[in-house]
Amino acid sequence: MHDSPTIYVFGLSVDLSNVLMIVVASVIVFVLAVIGTRKLSVENPGKLQNFMEWIVEFVSNLIASTMDMKKGKAFIMLGITLIMYIFVANMLGLPFAITTIHEEPFELFGTEIISQEYLNELEAKKGYAEAHILWWKSPTASLGPTMALALLVITLSHYLGITRNTKHYFKHYFQPSPLFFPIHVIEQASKLLTIGMRLFGNIFAGEMLIAVILMASYWGIVPLMAWQGFSVFIGAIQAFVFTILTMVYIGQSITHEENHG
Amino acid sequence: MHIDFGSFFIQIAAFILLLLLLKKYAFGPLFEVMEKRRQHVLSEISTAEENRQEAASLLKEQEESLQKSRNEAYQIIEQAKQTSVRQAEEIVDNAKAEVARLKEDALKDIENERSKAAETLRAQVGAMSIMIAAKIIEQNLNEKEQKKLVDKYLKEVGGKL
């Protein structure tokens, strides 16, 4: 349906729309946070400050529900960044998308993005040569950024487990018996996959459905509104789920539970 | 499905950068403010507690001093009552003594007057007796006449008395 503006740098594929949207989402989060904490006051906080403090409290409670708050304090900043970034990223693709239409071969930074053969192929399939490049979307609707976040937090949880909880961390792979070692390894691998894929799948599916509903032209207005509203909900839930799972994994690896499965 | 490794690495870098920037420019200061507020609230609570205790002790002190002054006032009234009773008795006693003294004086005066009067009377009776005797001697009368004369003069003296 849509093509992505992918170029290759040293053999690595770089989806420029993802890069663009990662930057946009990060900038929005940063600007929001800076505006929200501009006029800080101890005794008379403004509305924006109250909102930012509410986010801090929310994330603190979330961490407190998964681990000892003494250890959890260090992860408040991680939780806040995760939840704000993922929420904003999820929202970006909802109100609109920006695509460019190309009827000629299109090149970017020396890489051919829309080739003549591709256009010919499209013409053969649809009867006209017209390629769409999608520029504006949720960065979390691609596997690259979501797996990046997933790998980041899973790596962090393992790192913390190894450095702060060494004995228990290595022992737990062989409990209740050494036979369980493969299962533990699979569990760890599945953690990484599920946390990243879940986010990607939810947001990607949401945007796909928006694109599908748009094909229905006028008939699609009411379902589109309903689905966009629901997607806001999904986006918020997924941001929350990602953050709490991160904290649960970190909590699991830094606490000394005796009956850990 | 393929993973776009370019955006994968860029996302990792962007996320870490975003986290550091947020910490430095937005949430770091916010945490400080929240911590300050927490300390502020704690100190306010302890100050309020101190004030409450102070107020309680002041109240107790005041109650004590009130009780004390009440006792003092009671004592003062009692003393005044006793003093007044004593003074009244004194006054009455003084008055009685004065009365007795006056009465005594009056009696003495009366006695004096009476004895003075008796003295005077005695002197006069003497003088008259002499005068009567002179008269009797002057007349040289017989016994009958003499008796008549004595009766006459005695009657005169008795009339004067």
Side-chain angles (χ1 to χ4, degrees), chain A residues 1 89-94 96-97 134 136-141 201-212 227 231:
Chain A
M1 203 154 36
N90 291 351
M91 292 305 112
L92 284 179
L94 294 181
F96 54 82
L134 179 61
W136 185 281
K137 56 175 190 159
S138 287
T140 41
N202 275 281
I203 306 308
F204 180 70
E207 294 200 355
M208 280 304 276
L209 196 58
I210 287 177
V212 170
W227 182 249
S231 292

Side-chain angles (χ1 to χ4, degrees), chain A residues 12-13 15 18-19 22 26 33 37 40-43 49 52-53 57 77 80 82 85 144-145 148-149 151-152, chain B residues 1 3-8 10-12 14-15 18-19 21-23 26-27 29-31 33-34 37 40:
Chain A
L12 276 178
S13 67
D15 186 338
N18 274 347
V19 176
I22 287 167
S26 303
T37 56
L40 291 176
S41 156
V42 175
E43 298 187 355
Q49 191 189 339
M52 299 315 282
E53 287 187 15
E57 291 292 320
M77 204 53 236
I80 290 169
L82 272 177
Y85 177 77
L149 293 175
L151 189 73
L152 200 67
Chain B
M1 181 147 310
I3 293 182
D4 174 37
F5 282 101
S7 53
F8 178 89
I10 286 166
Q11 175 66 83
I12 290 177
F15 184 82
L18 179 66
L19 194 149
L21 285 176
L22 282 183
K23 192 171 187 178
F27 286 98
L30 185 68
F31 289 159
V33 164
M34 290 171 81
R37 179 174 318 124
H40 181 70

